């Protein structure tokens, strides 16, 4: 940080942001975010100026990320996990020829109880067995 004063300023702004993400509660998040955006707008780093514009454009969504349910904060990790499972199914299957079977396989893996309700058994085509 002794190399350039902008580097020291960037480091302190980054650390302030990380501290705020960890410690600030939803009730105080709007004031904290506005103060942080103001401080990065006034910084000498041009990269932080474009970052300030991005934070202004996404302010509502960023503030919503501070909402807590018990001890947990909102995030999209669950949805990303589901998307990853679907991609793995596609990779393993080498392509399903029947979209209904593909959908049912996804539902089965994600939530077994849900697939039981969603499968319309009357539309499942079955071959007639040959009797010996």
């Amino acid at each position: 940080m002794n190399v350039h004063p902008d580097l020291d300023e960037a480091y302190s702004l980054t650390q302030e942001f990380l501290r705020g993400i960890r410690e600030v509660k939803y009730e105080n998040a709007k004031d904290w975010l506005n103060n942080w955006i103001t401080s990065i707008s006034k910084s000498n780093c041009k990269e932080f100026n474009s970052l300030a514009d991005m934070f202004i454009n996404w302010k509502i969504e960023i503030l919503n990320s501070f909402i807590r349910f018990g001890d947990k904060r909102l995030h999209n990790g669950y949805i990303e996990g589901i998307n990853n499972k679907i991609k793995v199914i596609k990779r393993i299957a080498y392509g399903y020829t029947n979209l209904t079977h593909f959908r049912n396989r996804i539902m089965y893996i994600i939530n077994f109880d849900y697939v039981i309700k969603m499968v319309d058994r009357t539309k499942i085509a079955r071959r007639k067995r040959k009797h010996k």
Side-chain angles (χ1 to χ4, degrees), residues 55-95:
F55 270 83
I56 290 169
N57 289 339
W58 293 95
K59 186 185 280 187
I60 294 170
E61 290 81 2
I62 293 168
L63 290 174
N64 286 339
S65 73
F66 284 92
I67 297 173
R68 292 184 179 269
F69 292 100
D71 293 337
K72 308 228 184 242
R73 288 175 51 180
L74 288 176
H75 59 84
N76 63 344
Y78 180 73
I79 300 299
E80 292 296 331
I82 291 173
N83 289 340
N84 187 36
K85 286 180 186 177
I86 292 170
K87 288 178 184 180
V88 169
I89 293 167
K90 283 172 57 176
R91 228 182 354 253
I92 291 172
Y94 298 112

Side-chain angles (χ1 to χ4, degrees), residues 96-109:
Y96 276 88
T97 56
N98 187 333
L99 185 63
T100 305
H101 290 179
F102 179 61
R103 180 183 169 279
N104 288 343
R105 179 69 178 168
I106 292 168
M107 293 296 180
Y108 177 78
I109 288 173

Side-chain angles (χ1 to χ4, degrees), residues 41-58:
S41 298
K42 293 177 182 177
S43 76
N44 295 329
C45 301
K46 60 183 177 186
E47 292 83 4
F48 277 104
N49 293 332
S50 61
L51 184 67
D53 295 337
M54 188 269 304
F55 270 83
I56 290 169
N57 289 339
W58 293 95

